[in-house]
Amino acid sequence: MRSIGSSLNLLLVSPLYFVWTVVALDLAQTPCTTLVQGKFFGYFSSFAVFPLNSSLCSWIIQNPDPRRYTLYMKILKPTGVCDHQHIRTYQFDSFLESTRTYLGMESFDDVLKLCDGSTRYAFLQSNKQFLQMKQTAPPGVESWPVRWKPAKAQERDFSVEYLVVGNRNPSKAACQMLCKWLDACLAISSSSHPCGIMQTPCSCSGGEVLDQASEILGFTRKKEDCYKDGIYLENCMSSPKDSSGVEFLGGWNSWSAWGDCTKDCGGGLQTRMRTCKPLPNEGLVCEGVLEEGRLCNRKACNTNGRYNSRSQSLRSTDNRKREDTDELQHYGYPAPQIGDPAAEEWSPWSVCSTTCGEGWQTRTRFCVSSSYSTQCSGPLREQRQCNNSAVCPVHGTWDEWSPWSLCSSTCGRGYRDRTRTCKPPQFGGNPCEGPEKQTKFCNIALCPVDGNWNEWSSWSSCSASCSNGTQQRTRECNGPSYGGAECQGHWVETRDCFLRQCPVDGKWQAWGVWGSCTTTCGGGTQRRDRVCYGPFFGGETCQGPKEEYKQCNDRKCPEPHEICDEESLASVVWKETPAGDAAAVRCPRNATGLILRRCILDEEGIAYWEPPTYIKCVSIDYRNIQMMTREHLSKAQRGLMGDGLSEVLQNLVEISQDGTSYSGDLLSTMDVLRNVTEIFRRAYHSPNSGDVQNFVQIISNLLSEENREKWEEAQLIGPNAKELFRLVEDFIDVIGFRMKDFRDSYQVTDNLVLGIHKLPANAATDITFPMKGWRGMVDWAKNSEDKVTVSKSILSSGLSETDDSSVFVVGTVLYRNVGNILSLQRNSTVLNSKVISVTVKPFPRSLLTPLEIEFSHLYNGTTNQTCILWDEND
């Protein structure tokens, strides 16, 4: 970015000290942007700021303080006529980079009219912080820069002078320049070209400049000033005038006081003098006399009186050369006389002082005294009127200017004018010179101006050199100003661009699965392949191998006695299998999955077959229910609502009552119950009393004696008693806190009795289980002496103040035969005893009172008074 210094020091301004506050301004400055700061006068040529064949350039000047200074500008327009006005000029307060908005923008295009050649000069006045001249691409112009009609580059050039003037106490040097500009601005003004200088702080001639309030009212006032040829003269005095009001010719200083009289009586002479101050650079002598005299003391003297004598010479000169004596005599000024010293001879009468109308003629004489001469007497100068018959021409004269008219616009830029009347010339005089009417711009109030967008910039280069990219273009908002509406729309636009396809290197796809081993033992190899995707559009090929190998089955091949022979069992053919491996065949048609059978070595190292296991087989009916439950869980996890879950539980009750066909059916049922409990936690389905009864019945069906052998097989990889207890505990927790309007529940089945109680913490009661008198109680629970008492003191949160909404859920389960069906984690001595489980949610802070349990154990048909207590929790 360029910075303008003192481009042309045509004006000397007194040193001015101030603090310059630089505002935040980002006008997308480029090397083609010129910013002027801290300069009070300057000059530039358009070729220097807006070079030919350049990009869109701009020139900006910053006003130090718009409250204290005003910026004026004088533009010498180009001599050529342009096709388009491509230089825009405007003032603004500030610029917001975030929204590309100019605040307080006001255009000067209608003031400058650079492309209007009817006037050579244009003037403007700016009172905002920034003034900018900006090169713009005209709408519809394909090529840039714009061509001008003249072929000569000089005819396209224009020049600019700028001047920053203080609003208070401006310097006289600045006022000299500004008044000269104002005089020229008003001289060329017209209705179609008003003067762009609206007011100034200077005092210029003819009452041109006033304070702003007087300007608005249209008043004028006269001032005594010294203004000549457009220059303000300091410490000057108005030209002296005689009583008739006619200015003296020449550059004479004032006459001195009259000197003393040469005689006390009988008629003497007084004289006075003046000096000539010729105009600079002209070298001419002032026209007129240097010294003049008058008679004095004319009263008669007494007889004894003596006459004083004074040699007197009145000098005169004109604007001709003194050595040219012949020409001097032509004007009635004789050369010095030589001869009789007492002779007194008048010079010829001078030429009449005017060529028309009434004038004067003068003649003079000299007194030459010597020792033998007599004293001179009488006047040394005489005047007489001379009349000419010619009538003097009277030139036309202007009357005073009228007051400035009111502004043509109540807000925004308008204009005002004033006129004057010419008194017509007479007798061949010259007509009045100068304009009859003067016009200048005015702006007495600020109009609201809505924001308007400038033209879009050119599209930026594509963001990507290949494949898909984007391009952007921006536009700037002018305004809004003084309460106008904001610009509507976006200041930036984006579009997709595509230059060419980018090269795509080849990329390996994932490795395929390993192939089968070449041997079953003794060491073989496996191979896997991968595919190269690509390359495309000139990209690089994939690097690295396409195939990969690894060793496999490197264990020793078994001896013949270490291999289980092929065998047919239960309509299934088991193929020859080495010891340590498992053979697999498909489950029967009513089930899905695989039947597994392992080949192992006995103590002597001979291979033999173990019984087949059906842990991976699931009956079709159980498999269907398992899949439906998973679908319901998927919907519940997505926050959906649904129905049909109760029917699924009812179907499972009916199927499980007929027993299970495979150990895999038990594992499938446990998975269904876990998923149902998870569904109950969500808003998908609200459990009801029928769901609770079916859930407990399904667990009872799983614990039937018919499933004992299948449980033994399922526990090899599946659940034990701990997982069953946890499943029931989660179910109690969900039912107690999730079920709407829950009341105490009591479920009695063939293999377990379950009670769920929901009690408030501040009003708990003792719980006795089981309830022997409950209708439908089974004989094994009704006749036994088993009993559990849960004291209300256990149901305490441990807090001094318990909220009324605090509740406890207590679940008690009495299992008839779980001990001899499922293995217990912490105690393996229980064989056929009943097992009781107590669950309290939330967990109490402390057990001040232990549970009271009365439990009769049967061991080999005898009563054992020992009670075994353990905890299945982690």
Side-chain angles (χ1 to χ4, degrees), residues 294-305:
R294 69 180 180 182
L295 296 176
C296 56
N297 294 340
R298 297 181 181 182
K299 62 183 179 180
C301 297
N302 57 27
T303 55
N304 297 325

Side-chain angles (χ1 to χ4, degrees), residues 202-392:
C202 300
S203 298
C204 299
S205 65
E208 297 286 359
V209 183
L210 308 169
D211 58 84
Q212 189 172 0
S214 298
E215 283 269 52
I216 295 173
L217 296 176
F219 296 150
T220 59
R221 66 187 183 192
K222 297 182 180 180
K223 290 186 177 181
E224 293 296 327
D225 52 72
C226 296
Y227 188 80
K228 187 172 184 180
D229 297 330
I231 301 298
Y232 184 86
L233 304 176
E234 299 186 44
N235 302 322
C236 72
M237 297 178 61
S238 299
S239 300
K241 300 180 180 180
D242 60 14
S243 59
S244 63
V246 179
E247 279 193 5
F248 288 114
L249 300 177
W252 292 108
N253 287 333
S254 300
W255 287 102
S256 65
W258 289 102
D260 295 334
C261 192
T262 56
K263 292 182 180 181
D264 294 333
C265 59
L269 182 67
Q270 281 182 302
T271 61
R272 65 177 182 179
M273 302 179 63
R274 60 179 177 177
T275 58
C276 175
K277 185 177 182 181
L279 292 177
N281 301 325
E282 294 194 12
L284 299 178
V285 180
C286 300
E287 182 179 357
V289 295
L290 297 171
E291 185 178 7
E292 67 178 1
R294 69 180 180 182
L295 296 176
C296 56
N297 294 340
R298 297 181 181 182
K299 62 183 179 180
C301 297
N302 57 27
T303 55
N304 297 325
R306 292 181 57 87
Y307 295 92
N308 294 326
S309 176
R310 180 188 182 198
S311 175
Q312 181 66 32
S313 172
L314 296 184
R315 295 161 291 166
S316 71
T317 182
D318 59 12
N319 57 354
R320 307 299 192 268
K321 296 180 180 180
R322 288 189 177 90
E323 56 269 17
D324 191 354
T325 56
D326 292 337
E327 195 167 353
L328 283 173
Q329 292 177 4
H330 173 74
Y331 279 90
Y333 299 102
Q337 298 178 5
I338 301 174
D340 185 0
E344 296 182 6
E345 184 179 349
W346 289 99
S347 68
W349 289 101
S350 67
V351 178
C352 192
S353 62
T354 61
T355 58
C356 61
E358 183 178 288
W360 292 90
Q361 285 180 302
T362 60
R363 68 176 181 176
T364 59
R365 61 181 175 178
F366 294 88
C367 176
V368 181
S369 62
S370 64
S371 58
Y372 56 84
S373 67
T374 61
Q375 294 182 346
C376 298
S377 62
L380 299 178
R381 178 185 177 197
E382 283 185 349
Q383 287 184 331
R384 71 179 183 184
Q385 288 186 341
C386 53
N387 295 304
N388 294 293
S389 60
V391 179
C392 290

Side-chain angles (χ1 to χ4, degrees), residues 166-186:
N167 295 333
R168 295 183 179 180
N169 302 322
S171 68
K172 292 182 179 179
C175 282
Q176 286 181 4
M177 178 65 70
L178 183 56
C179 288
K180 188 174 182 179
W181 286 8
L182 176 61
D183 185 58
C185 183
L186 292 174

